Amino acid sequence: MPITNHNLWRAKANDTFVSSPLKGNLHSDVVIIGGGYSGLSAALHTAQQGMSVHVLEACTVGHGGSGRNVGLVNAGLWTPPDEVETILGQVAGIKLNHALAAAPDLVFSLIQQHQIECHPLRHGTLHCATNSAGLRQLKQRLAQQVKRNAPVTLLGASNTEQRTGSNQFLGALLDPRAGTLQPLNYALGLAHAATNAGAVIHTQSPALTYHHNGQHWLVTTADGSVTANKLIHATNAYDTLSTPNTAFTSVHYAQFATRPLTAQQRKIILPNGEGCWDTNQVMSSFRVDESGRLIIGGVGSLDGKAKHTHINWAHRQLKALFPHITEYEFEYMWSGRIAMTTDHLPKITRLGNNGIRLYGYSGRGIGPGTTFGKAAATWAMTGNEDHLPIAITEPKPESYIGLKTAYFDMGATLSHWLGRRY
């Protein structure tokens, strides 16, 4: 029987990174709220620059999106680069595009430098066209990437089938800069690297309040507080504080992992280990892990009434993509939340004097989160905002958040209820 709502990444994690909750009142150069990719990258790079830094994590390291995502280390954003430059303006858009195109280089270099055991595999990603409209979209993306000298290639249907093991796609955009990893182990590795550099991480320490008292930031927890010169808020979609200034829509994403495939199946299905997602409006993904488990993902939550609709969709999706897999079961099922901004671009907003908030990776947490965290560390050290990949803006609350979340959930549920019924 499947282990419903049990996270594969948590079950196969190297360790749990045991640390103590915050107790007492402390002072630090920098206080970081959130122990995911952004917060841990910021902590590591801040500590490496000789600054004192405390991280407050509400639960455990990687509890949020950093321990629940697909594990794709993408180059760039879901939003095409031309559109990024249209939204931000050419100069600012080029700056963000360049920073995030280099994100996989940063991630894989950190893994090598700190010997993080997270099964990194840099064999690229495949953006797969499910229909003719999707193929046209990939051709447009190819032209934009080629214009920027990116080493991407558009594969035909035959080559796509050879690489994926599925005949359901008309083509795929191969990006060799990208790759896959075990996402929670990467977060745990960043946490160990940060503490080795001198950062202090307090788990089970949700921030209850934070404000600037005129001289310092004061962040309180149930059993203590931290005053600091700089504040980096990095909880993304998992903020523990209820605030009217929420600036993104929460989108749920579910994943389903089989038992390890047979040796013969592994020769056919993603033999090179690329991570994949498709061009459908309600996007889905698939990849294999280091043990050969096939992992199917799609928009939707396993914590609500539509749980069984998403589970049934995952079964149909697997059978449609890989009909030769006749015997299988989903051993693990879990879901998480994505912080989706209106323009699908990440944000850095100003919280006040010497305080910033990082969020809005819209499903691209590993590369952008690591990159934004490192940039935030440089900002904390120098105060120079020019090093940030995107300009700091004033907080702007998202309108109709509840309705938008319901819209995404309802759309995914309807799509999954109707989809693949043949």
Side-chain angles (χ1 to χ4, degrees), residues 396-417:
K396 184 179 179 181
E398 184 93 354
S399 302
Y400 308 110
I401 290 174
L403 289 176
K404 290 178 180 177
T405 297
Y407 170 80
F408 280 111
D409 285 345
M410 186 179 301
T413 299
L414 183 61
S415 175
H416 287 176
W417 186 74

Side-chain angles (χ1 to χ4, degrees), residues 8-9 255-257 285-287 289 293-297 334:
L8 168 65
W9 310 130
Q255 295 186 74
F256 309 82
S285 61
F286 60 99
R287 62 163 293 192
D289 74 350
R293 293 178 177 84
L294 176 61
I295 305 167
I296 302 288
W334 71 99

Side-chain angles (χ1 to χ4, degrees), residues 80-82 127 134-156 172-177:
D82 277 5
H127 191 179
L135 187 59
R136 287 194 298 272
Q137 179 191 135
L138 294 188
K139 289 178 179 178
Q140 292 170 355
R141 287 176 178 268
L142 174 68
Q144 293 183 32
Q145 295 288 7
V146 168
K147 184 170 62 175
R148 293 167 173 83
N149 297 314
V152 297
T153 305
L154 184 61
L155 307 179
L173 199 62
L174 170 64
D175 191 336
R177 299 171 296 177

